[in-house]
């Protein structure tokens, strides 16, 4: 995913609709469905332009779920991949850099979200 492609797609296909409470919510113009998240991934440990993606998603109030399954130990700038979006995910499957045979981890700096994810 590139920030330029994301920006173009959102400009052509999304609209912000007022919500009863809180920020306006991005919806797909054609389907009418809420755009729940942007899910960029870092391929084979090479970081995508996550800062650019976070910036664009932020303008649309869309949370970023960063797929860092292949990027444990990788950095985007000075920051570990997986902790730049609202949520990051790691995989410990057998074919990953660090394995537990299976499983994974959710990373977030949002205490409330972390609490909900740990239940
Ligand atoms: C492996 C992988 C997943 C899935 O991880 P599982 O632990 O097998 O569910 C998701 N995204 C990427 C980019 C992967 O490489």
């Amino acid at each position: 995913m590139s920030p330029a492609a994301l920006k173009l797609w959102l400009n052509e296909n999304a609209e912000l609709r007022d919500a009863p409470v809180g920020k306006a919510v991005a919806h797909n113009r054609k389907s009418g469905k809420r755009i729940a998240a942007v899910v960029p991934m870092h391929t084979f440990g090479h970081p995508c332009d996550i800062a650019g993606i976070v910036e664009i998603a932020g303008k649309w109030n869309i949370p970023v779920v960063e797929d860092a399954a292949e990027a444990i130990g990788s950095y985007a700038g000075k920051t570990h991949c997986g902790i730049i979006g609202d949520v990051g995910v790691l995989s410990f499957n057998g074919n990953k850099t660090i394995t537990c045979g299976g499983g994974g981890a959710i990373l977030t700096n949002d205490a409330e979200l972390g609490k909900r994810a740990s239940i």
Side-chain angles (χ1 to χ4, degrees):
M1 180 183 294
S2 79
L6 176 63
K7 186 177 183 179
L8 188 67
W9 191 90
L10 288 168
N11 284 339
E12 288 178 357
N13 297 286
E15 65 186 15
L16 280 170
R17 294 185 190 165
D18 288 335
V21 282
K23 296 176 183 172
V25 178
H27 284 77
N28 183 309
R29 275 195 210 125
K30 227 182 261 172
S31 70
K33 291 185 177 174
R34 177 177 64 99
I35 300 172
V38 168
V39 189
M41 72 160 292
H42 307 288
T43 309
F44 302 134
H46 298 282
C48 63
D49 183 354
I50 188 71
I53 289 166
V54 164
E55 186 185 330
I56 290 158
K59 287 181 181 164
W60 287 88
N61 302 331
I62 304 171
V64 175
V65 177
E66 193 181 347
D67 184 343
E70 298 181 11
I72 194 166
S74 293
Y75 284 79
K78 291 184 175 174
T79 309
H80 276 285
C81 290
I83 62 168
I84 302 161
D86 298 282
V87 177
V89 292
L90 301 174
S91 170
F92 303 132
N93 198 23
N95 62 339
K96 307 301 179 188
T97 311
I98 294 177
T99 181
C100 298
I106 296 172
L107 312 171
T108 183
N109 287 316
D110 181 330
E112 183 59 33
L113 198 59
K115 214 178 196 180
R116 286 174 58 198
S118 68
I119 296 172

